[in-house]
Amino acid sequence: MDELYVRHEMKKKGSLVVLLITVAIAATLAFAIKRVLTPRDLAKEDPRCAFESFVCSPPPQSVREIKASGAVAFAGGKAAIEFQFDPQDLNDLLRRGEFRLADDKAVQWIKEFRPEGVPDNIARYVRINEGMAETALFVTEDNRRAWFQEIQF
């Protein structure tokens, strides 16, 4: 009789462990799904972290006055980052961010981008993306101010 009781108690403990593991997996999965479906609001993030996530990591030392905006989610979105830097860091910024000078084949919004209050003569750079995104970097003629834009589909 004692042996049957011990077996019964062991089965109950085993069932409890299985139940707890199942609940933990379900909670983790629910959290992951919520996280993926919740838009990432760049205006609420640390601007430097947004810069490192989208433009390049690590950023050149002179990068400063970073302003990030836009929202990105699983289904797409737009990220916009404005910043200033020292002219001598331009090549480093382009190399780290894997940007190349845009050509005539660039998409229309890249050709037409005009920051408010900035002369028309800005340099346009693009990044070749492997996913469903169009990414561009726009730099003023004096190489001191830049705008990053990424549109995800």
Side-chain angles (χ1 to χ4, degrees):
M1 183 83 170
D2 278 340
E3 189 176 316
L4 284 174
Y5 178 75
V6 170
R7 284 186 191 168
H8 178 70
E9 288 299 311
M10 288 178 65
K11 282 185 181 179
K12 280 178 33 180
K13 284 183 182 179
S15 296
L16 182 61
V17 169
V18 168
L19 177 65
L20 291 175
I21 290 172
T22 303
V23 168
I25 290 171
T28 303
L29 186 59
F31 177 77
I33 289 170
K34 182 183 182 309
R35 181 119 167 117
V36 166
L37 295 178
T38 302
R40 181 178 174 188
D41 184 354
L42 299 182
K44 293 180 180 177
E45 290 187 19
D46 174 10
R48 196 152 195 89
C49 289
F51 184 96
E52 289 182 5
S53 291
F54 287 93
V55 183
C56 71
S57 181
Q61 273 191 320
S62 69
V63 170
R64 62 192 176 280
E65 297 185 40
I66 304 168
K67 297 174 191 164
S69 63
V72 179
F74 182 69
K78 180 179 179 182
I81 301 172
E82 180 181 344
F83 59 97
Q84 294 183 12
F85 64 101
D86 292 339
Q88 67 269 18
D89 285 338
L90 176 62
N91 288 333
D92 192 31
L93 177 67
L94 297 174
R95 182 184 52 77
R96 289 182 192 187
E98 299 179 358
F99 293 100
R100 64 172 177 77
L101 197 57
D103 57 21
D104 293 338
K105 296 175 188 170
V107 293
Q108 199 63 32
W109 72 266
I110 294 174
K111 293 177 185 178
E112 294 175 352
F113 180 83
R114 300 267 184 265
E116 192 173 316
V118 175
D120 288 345
N121 49 347
I122 58 174
R124 300 165 194 293
Y125 300 91
V126 295
R127 177 187 292 151
I128 304 302
N129 294 306
E130 294 180 10
M132 299 292 290
E134 294 173 349
T135 307
L137 181 70
F138 307 94
V139 180
T140 57
E141 189 174 33
D142 65 359
N143 296 336
R144 294 184 179 279
R145 192 168 169 202
W147 295 263
F148 169 89
Q149 299 271 321
E150 180 170 292
I151 299 175
Q152 297 179 4
F153 306 99

